[in-house]
Amino acid sequence: MSLLLEVNNLETHFKTEEGLVKAVDKVSFNLMRGETIGIVGESGSGKSVTALSVMGLIPNPPGKVVGGQILFHNKQNQVVDLAQLPEQELRKYRGNEIAMIFQEPMTSLNPVFTCGDQVTEAILLHQKVSKQAAKALTLELYNKVKLPTPERIFNAYPHQLSGGQKQRVMIAMAMSCNPSILIADEPTTALDVTVQKTILELMEHLKQEIDSSIMFITHDLGVIAEIADRVVVMLKGKIVEQGPVSDIFTNPQHPYTKGLLACRPPLGKRLRKLPIVDDFMGTDEQGNIIEKAASVADIISSVEIKPDETAKRQQELQKQTPLLEVHNLKTWFPARKNMFGKTLDWVKAVDDVSFNVYPGETLGLVGESGCGKTTLGRTILRLAPAYEGRILYKGKSVLDMPEADLKELRKEMQIIFQDPYSSLNPRLTIGNAIMEPMQVHGIYANDKERKDKVIELLETCNMQANHFNRYPHEFSGGQRQRICVARALALNPQFIICDESVSALDVSIQAQVLNLLIDLRRRFGFTYIFISHDLSVVKFMSDRMVVMNRGKIEEMGFADDIYNNPQHAYTQKLIAAIPKGVVPVKAG
């Protein structure tokens, strides 16, 4: 393989109110023709800024590439330093020889143009072809990326497509000029594991077809194992480790790499808590990184739960009277009506679902997007109207409950939503956001007592008392999710629904939030329904698991039994789609 891209001592800095931020700090790596290189690290590690620097997309001000070389070996066998090219010259390469798939397709696609127009625009910009030829090429690309009904997609707007379909449109756009390098920035982060698997397979197939190279950016080493030849691990703007994927996974050298490998839920074991990066890495008084633990295997074995302990817990839970009973629940929405308003067709989001949840238990709800799991959770809390069926909480019918009684019930039943940023009011400080439910329900005598309770809750959720007067935008995604957990605890609930509450978080931050939820269950005896499309996360969190598909329950039982011996083809498909390359073969 010949050399395609050389990044030498790249430095990208940003000027902020707090001072100079060295987002990329003397980073060096190579990319060979036909190779896939994975750049991995947590949010803020500098991996996306590295990619944007290569593309010449750093906004100036506040950012600027201040040093280093980005040497690109173009199709004419010339070596060009992209870092030195003026904007006009860069445009000849951007989208044509180097293309990028961004993390969030909904914000990357223009909502006022059809998906077809946006791909044809990219083709017309770089290729001398007619509009008819550009449309034909777009439809051909839609076929290649396996989009259903390409003609319909061509005329559809982004909001009319699913997340996986939008991502395929972005891939088609990126591939439209047969680029030498495809930069994929977290292209599968918010997707179902089954959709993620098809996207990864598609990218690998297209790479072979047009003989391109891929720079794949993610926080998830499991995904990297599925697609990459070599791995670059970044931390705080620097490369801490790089090498062939097999070497990094079997014998990681840096404690940060070991932490990233260990913090994703393992599939073959049940753990008391997930290892986190801080278990492997700390800093001394001078701020230098020090290693705390040498072995991933030792850390995992120290928190492993034995099968007989799991069996005993399951027996104890099953002896109790159910806290929640769901009987033949249906949540249907009108899909089509006639001119007189009569419903002719229904969307059966939840269709004849029955199960129990026992006190202190975590019941996992797993399935792809659109399977009905979120609607089921919302119906249980009466945030969505039930069409038919019964929901009993402590023996009382939730669906027949008058509003006055429902307000009391809401103190006991809470929900943690998927997106912490949109579920927090940006105009309220986080202290007031957590205090507000207490004021509504008249808990505690005055605001001073409530503030004391809020500070206690923040500290319970690993936040600090001085965070009380800060606003949501001042926190990271993981911190915002902890704030939402604290708000859910404000009314001393017994039952909490966690709706995809960790799906958008880095694996390391995800591990911290999952550990917090398990610790709170142990301390306060909470009962959870844990909703996720990620079966490995659900298996770690849950005592029992419900697998949903198209509004119905496909399979239900103990989490370990379902994973080890899935009975239904749909469950087998979900398990097969989980990235398997996250467990080191050899202790680091």
Side-chain angles (χ1 to χ4, degrees):
M1 289 190 290
S2 58
L3 196 58
L4 182 60
L5 183 74
E6 298 173 77
V7 177
N8 299 321
N9 293 315
L10 180 64
E11 294 181 90
T12 304
H13 296 174
F14 286 83
K15 290 180 180 177
T16 70
E17 292 178 0
E18 288 77 31
L20 191 70
V21 174
K22 296 181 178 180
V24 178
D25 192 7
K26 296 190 182 300
V27 162
S28 300
F29 63 90
N30 295 334
L31 178 65
M32 311 300 287
R33 291 189 187 277
E35 181 184 43
T36 297
I37 189 168
I39 302 182
V40 70
E42 297 171 287
S43 294
S45 64
K47 56 191 188 298
S48 291
V49 179
T50 300
L52 292 171
S53 300
V54 171
M55 290 288 288
L57 291 175
I58 298 296
N60 183 12
K64 189 178 181 182
V65 176
V66 298
Q69 296 177 311
I70 306 169
L71 302 179
F72 175 62
H73 298 246
N74 65 21
K75 291 175 181 175
Q76 291 75 41
N77 292 320
Q78 300 166 323
V79 180
V80 182
D81 188 353
L82 301 177
Q84 302 300 322
L85 287 184
E87 177 63 23
Q88 198 65 32
E89 286 293 310
L90 259 177
R91 288 178 184 171
K92 296 177 184 177
Y93 292 93
R94 192 189 297 140
N96 186 22
E97 294 217 44
I98 306 175
M100 191 164 183
I101 304 167
F102 294 95
Q103 178 171 357
E104 178 42 69
M106 193 64 218
T107 55
S108 305
L109 293 169
N110 193 323
V112 300
F113 291 102
T114 65
C115 295
D117 285 341
Q118 296 186 60
V119 179
T120 54
E121 181 187 31
I123 294 169
L124 292 169
L125 187 66
H126 293 289
Q127 299 182 40
K128 295 177 180 178
V129 296
S130 65
K131 285 187 177 181
Q132 290 79 6
K135 179 179 179 178
L137 181 55
T138 299
L139 292 172
E140 183 185 331
L141 285 165
Y142 282 177
N143 271 314
K144 281 185 178 179
V145 298
K146 297 182 172 63
L147 276 166
T149 57
E151 281 282 359
R152 179 185 68 82
I153 302 283
F154 187 94
N155 295 309
Y157 290 89
H159 72 272
Q160 296 174 298
L161 307 183
S162 70
Q165 288 174 335
K166 284 195 284 275
Q167 199 59 281
R168 286 166 193 264
V169 170
M170 288 293 296
I171 292 172
M173 191 187 301
M175 293 291 189
S176 61
C177 296
N178 294 336
S180 298
I181 300 175
L182 178 63
I183 300 174
D185 185 8
E186 301 268 15
T188 61
T189 294
L191 301 179
D192 296 342
V193 285
T194 48
V195 179
Q196 172 181 274
K197 185 178 182 181
T198 58
I199 293 292
L200 295 178
E201 289 172 348
L202 170 65
M203 290 179 66
E204 182 61 29
H205 171 73
L206 292 174
K207 183 189 86 167
Q208 302 290 342
E209 188 173 299
I210 66 172
D211 192 28
S212 66
S213 301
I214 295 177
M215 189 187 300
F216 196 97
I217 297 165
T218 182
H219 61 260
D220 191 342
L221 273 163
V223 172
I224 288 291
E226 299 286 310
I227 196 169
D229 301 302
R230 285 189 304 118
V231 187
V232 171
V233 183
M234 290 189 69
L235 172 65
K236 295 179 180 178
K238 295 179 180 288
I239 292 176
V240 296
E241 188 166 359
Q242 62 176 306
V245 67
S246 57
D247 291 355
I248 297 294
F249 276 81
T250 58
N251 192 19
Q253 298 300 306
H254 197 276
Y256 180 67
T257 312
K258 295 174 186 177
L260 288 179
L261 281 165
C263 63
R264 182 158 176 82
L267 295 166
K269 298 175 172 27
R270 183 165 281 276
L271 305 185
R272 217 171 305 282
K273 67 168 193 169
L274 287 172
I276 59 174
V277 170
D278 287 349
D279 292 332
F280 296 88
M281 185 181 77
T283 53
D284 60 19
E285 292 177 357
Q286 288 74 43
N288 301 313
I289 292 172
I290 55 173
E291 188 168 21
K292 287 183 181 178
S295 170
V296 175
D298 287 349
I299 289 283
I300 289 177
S301 64
S302 70
V303 292
E304 187 175 354
I305 300 175
K306 302 303 179 195
D308 57 341
E309 189 179 337
T310 301
K312 184 179 177 183
R313 172 175 164 79
Q314 289 167 348
Q315 289 170 4
E316 293 298 320
L317 289 171
Q318 300 284 316
K319 288 178 184 175
Q320 304 175 93
T321 303
L323 182 72
L324 180 79
E325 300 172 64
V326 177
H327 299 285
N328 306 109
L329 185 65
K330 297 179 182 179
T331 306
W332 293 3
F333 300 102
R336 191 164 52 92
K337 295 183 178 182
N338 64 16
M339 61 186 296
F340 302 108
K342 183 182 178 182
T343 300
L344 301 176
D345 198 10
W346 297 88
V347 174
K348 298 178 179 181
V350 178
D351 194 16
D352 199 22
V353 164
S354 301
F355 60 88
N356 295 333
V357 187
Y358 296 92
E361 181 182 35
T362 299
L363 181 77
L365 279 183
V366 68
E368 296 171 292
S369 294
C371 71
K373 57 190 186 296
T374 292
T375 303
L376 174 57
R378 293 174 68 87
T379 306
I380 289 169
L381 296 178
R382 270 185 63 175
L383 297 175
Y387 179 78
E388 199 176 281
R390 295 169 66 220
I391 302 169
L392 301 178
Y393 179 77
K394 293 184 176 178
K396 295 179 181 177
S397 174
V398 174
L399 299 180
D400 300 324
M401 200 170 282
E403 286 295 326
D405 293 346
L406 189 61
K407 184 179 177 181
E408 283 300 306
L409 182 71
R410 295 217 186 280
K411 289 162 66 174
E412 293 196 26
M413 303 174 79
Q414 289 288 303
I415 185 168
I416 302 168
F417 293 100
Q418 177 172 359
D419 182 358
Y421 193 69
S422 61
S423 60
L424 289 169
N425 188 331
R427 296 178 181 176
L428 284 182
T429 65
I430 65 152
N432 286 322
I434 298 169
M435 192 191 295
E436 189 178 40
M438 301 182 197
Q439 293 168 331
V440 169
H441 288 274
I443 296 177
Y444 302 107
N446 52 53
D447 279 353
K448 184 184 181 303
E449 289 186 15
R450 292 181 190 118
K451 182 175 180 179
D452 291 341
K453 180 63 178 178
V454 170
I455 290 170
E456 180 191 322
L457 289 170
L458 285 171
E459 290 173 344
T460 299
C461 295
N462 303 324
M463 302 289 285
Q464 296 171 19
N466 62 10
H467 290 155
F468 185 97
N469 291 314
R470 294 190 191 176
Y471 290 87
H473 72 271
E474 298 180 72
F475 296 94
S476 68
Q479 287 174 318
R480 282 197 290 264
Q481 197 59 282
R482 288 194 203 109
I483 292 162
C484 289
V485 172
R487 186 179 59 180
L489 303 183
L491 300 177
N492 299 316
Q494 294 184 32
F495 174 77
I496 300 175
I497 293 178
C498 304
D499 184 9
E500 297 275 13
S501 52
V502 296
S503 63
L505 302 179
D506 290 348
V507 286
S508 53
I509 305 299
Q510 173 181 282
Q512 294 173 24
V513 174
L514 293 175
N515 286 345
L516 171 64
L517 292 172
I518 289 218
D519 183 52
L520 292 171
R521 183 184 71 184
R522 193 190 74 249
R523 289 165 61 186
F524 301 111
F526 291 143
T527 303
Y528 292 129
I529 287 183
F530 192 90
I531 299 170
S532 179
H533 61 257
D534 189 336
L535 196 141
S536 61
V537 170
V538 172
K539 177 182 175 292
F540 166 73
M541 282 294 296
S542 306
D543 298 294
R544 287 184 303 132
M545 193 188 297
V546 172
V547 181
M548 287 190 68
N549 182 26
R550 297 181 181 178
K552 292 183 177 292
I553 292 176
E554 298 282 11
E555 200 162 343
M556 179 165 54
F558 294 122
D560 291 347
D561 293 346
I562 285 181
Y563 175 74
N564 292 325
N565 189 25
Q567 299 299 304
H568 198 279
Y570 179 75
T571 313
Q572 293 165 6
K573 184 179 82 166
L574 286 179
I575 292 171
I578 302 170
K580 301 297 193 298
V582 292
V583 180
V585 177
K586 187 168 119 184

